[in-house]
Amino acid sequence: MVSLAADMVYEGARSITGPLLASLGASALLVGLVTGAGEALALVLRLPFGTRADRSGSYWPMTIAGYALTAVCVPLLAVTPFLGAAGLTVGCLLVLAERTGKAVRSPAKSTLLAHSAGPVGLGRGFGVHKALDQIGAFAGPLVVAALVAVTGLLWPALAVLAVPGLASIALLLWLRRRTGDPLRDQARAEGAQPTVSLLRAGRELPRAFWLFATSSALTTAGLVTFGVISYHLVTDDLVPTAAVPVVYAAAMASSGLAALAVGWLHDRRGARVLLVLPAMVAVVPVLAFTDAWGVVVLGVLVWGAATGLQDSTVKALVAQLVPAGRRGTGYGMFAAVQGVAAVAGGALAGWLSAESVPALVAVVAVLQLAAMALLVRTLRTTQPA
């Protein structure tokens, strides 16, 4: 429920990041760089925050701090149209700061979720969480769309997102008081963990984990950001600006349904259900960068389903490949590898979508073939516990 409220905030803003930056004077390349760099920050910075959470057992404090950063940065985007020439710079920095909040909380939050979901199945647990998460991701863009349609402006929609932001923090603090902190108590009982280098921490993780992390990095590099897709929707006059959040909301609904379905299959059929992910990523640019509105929307729905799997069932497999006491580190390492690919993928998509869509389609297809091969090798190398 915390994620439901928080997703109303950052997914509501994310649905109009492309149009907002474009209105402030950004090019397609800059939109791709900023959104790609934002995803990279959200992923790469999980590495130090994940290892810190494991060493200190501070899963709750880091979760709360990360959500608070998002709740503050998103409503502040509402002031950027009034800052003149500085608006674009401030807008880009706030987008990056909001994604940093995601990095602060994600390893700790995922560790708490994995601990809670164990009795019901990791695939189901992460799938149900993602589905609730996507209810917020569906509702937030619809609220934004309604306000943009009524006012003809972007900033009022961003300002109103402060309300669910405050609700998420209040609910999170209440939840912390109700549940206690069993993981921190466990960490204290085991004694202080020695500080080790990130290189050594990475070497201590299983080989199958690294194969899977590399495969997922390739899918991340090939999955075009919605900022670039929405830029295409608006600048090519396929949909009005007010309709972009509605399209995004549909993608979030697709994401939640895909997470539920594949999470359920994961617990019954095993991790091989993830073989569908590279194929989905390869299809996105084929559909999303056409001039037919209906085909583009279909591409956005496939994009949403792919993001749903990346943020749910993929995490279930990571939890199985990494020892329980190292999950924060594992999630951080995994995200760091993805982040290195995200910034390059965002810039590549922004550039190629403007220069040559066929080239973009070809590059993404090659990346996904490599991702598929590595995933198959991962599944053959080990059977997750």
Side-chain angles (χ1 to χ4, degrees):
M1 297 304 295
V2 171
S3 291
L4 188 157
D7 263 46
M8 289 188 67
V9 181
Y10 73 81
E11 298 291 14
R14 195 179 183 192
S15 71
I16 55 172
T17 296
L20 174 67
L21 295 179
S23 72
L24 297 173
S27 65
L29 176 58
L30 181 59
V31 172
L33 282 170
V34 171
T35 55
E39 294 309 308
L41 284 175
L43 294 167
V44 173
L45 291 182
R46 297 182 201 188
L47 176 54
F49 288 121
T51 55
R52 184 177 184 276
D54 280 341
R55 285 200 311 270
S56 63
S58 57
Y59 300 105
W60 271 110
M62 293 178 68
T63 299
I64 293 169
Y67 277 116
L69 189 56
T70 290
V72 170
C73 289
V74 167
L76 285 178
L77 284 170
V79 308
T80 57
F82 305 101
L83 299 180
L88 178 58
T89 300
V90 173
C92 291
L93 291 175
L94 286 172
V95 169
L96 297 178
E98 186 281 316
R99 292 288 82 193
T100 300
K102 178 78 170 175
V104 171
R105 69 178 179 263
S106 286
K109 180 195 71 174
S110 295
T111 301
L112 291 171
L113 283 168
H115 175 76
S116 301
V120 299
L122 288 168
R124 183 186 301 175
F126 278 104
V128 169
H129 168 262
K130 186 63 177 178
L132 289 172
D133 189 88
Q134 294 312 91
I135 291 175
F138 180 80
L142 290 183
V143 171
V144 168
L147 287 171
V148 172
V150 170
T151 65
L153 301 169
L154 296 177
W155 72 265
L158 292 164
V160 81
L161 294 176
V163 175
L166 289 173
S168 70
I169 299 302
L171 182 58
L172 188 63
L173 294 174
W174 173 82
L175 179 62
R176 168 65 179 84
R177 289 195 299 269
R178 293 275 296 186
T179 61
D181 198 349
L183 291 180
R184 187 165 194 169
D185 294 340
Q186 178 180 328
R188 287 175 173 174
E190 294 174 354
Q193 295 186 22
T195 300
V196 298
S197 68
L198 295 177
L199 180 60
R200 180 179 174 184
R203 287 176 177 173
E204 292 175 351
L205 296 174
R207 178 171 177 268
F209 164 83
W210 286 111
L211 286 173
F212 184 49
T214 305
S215 173
S216 293
L218 292 173
T219 62
T220 299
L223 189 58
V224 180
T225 67
F226 188 77
V228 174
I229 295 174
S230 63
Y231 187 95
H232 166 64
L233 289 172
V234 172
T235 57
D236 289 357
D237 295 321
L238 293 175
V239 298
T241 300
V244 172
V246 178
V247 175
Y248 187 76
M252 294 300 95
S254 174
S255 175
L257 291 173
L260 274 177
V262 179
W264 182 84
L265 287 172
H266 173 276
D267 289 342
R268 285 157 179 77
R269 303 286 184 177
R272 63 180 179 274
V273 299
L274 285 172
L275 291 170
V276 71
L277 182 56
M280 295 169 67
V281 172
V283 167
V284 171
V286 176
L287 302 174
F289 291 98
T290 65
D291 294 326
W293 182 85
V295 177
V296 173
V297 171
L298 178 60
V300 172
L301 293 177
V302 175
W303 174 87
T307 60
L309 302 192
Q310 278 194 315
D311 202 30
S312 59
T313 314
V314 164
K315 290 181 178 179
L317 181 54
V318 172
Q320 292 174 295
L321 293 172
V322 177
R326 304 298 306 282
R327 281 174 177 167
T329 300
Y331 283 124
M333 291 284 184
F334 188 83
V337 174
Q338 286 184 304
V340 171
V343 65
L348 183 69
W351 174 53
L352 287 180
S353 65
E355 297 294 328
S356 173
V357 171
L360 175 62
V361 170
V363 169
V364 170
V366 170
L367 291 174
Q368 298 323 296
L369 284 174
M372 181 77 76
L374 285 172
L375 180 54
V376 169
R377 188 175 178 185
T378 300
L379 299 177
R380 289 177 176 175
T381 299
T382 186
Q383 292 296 323

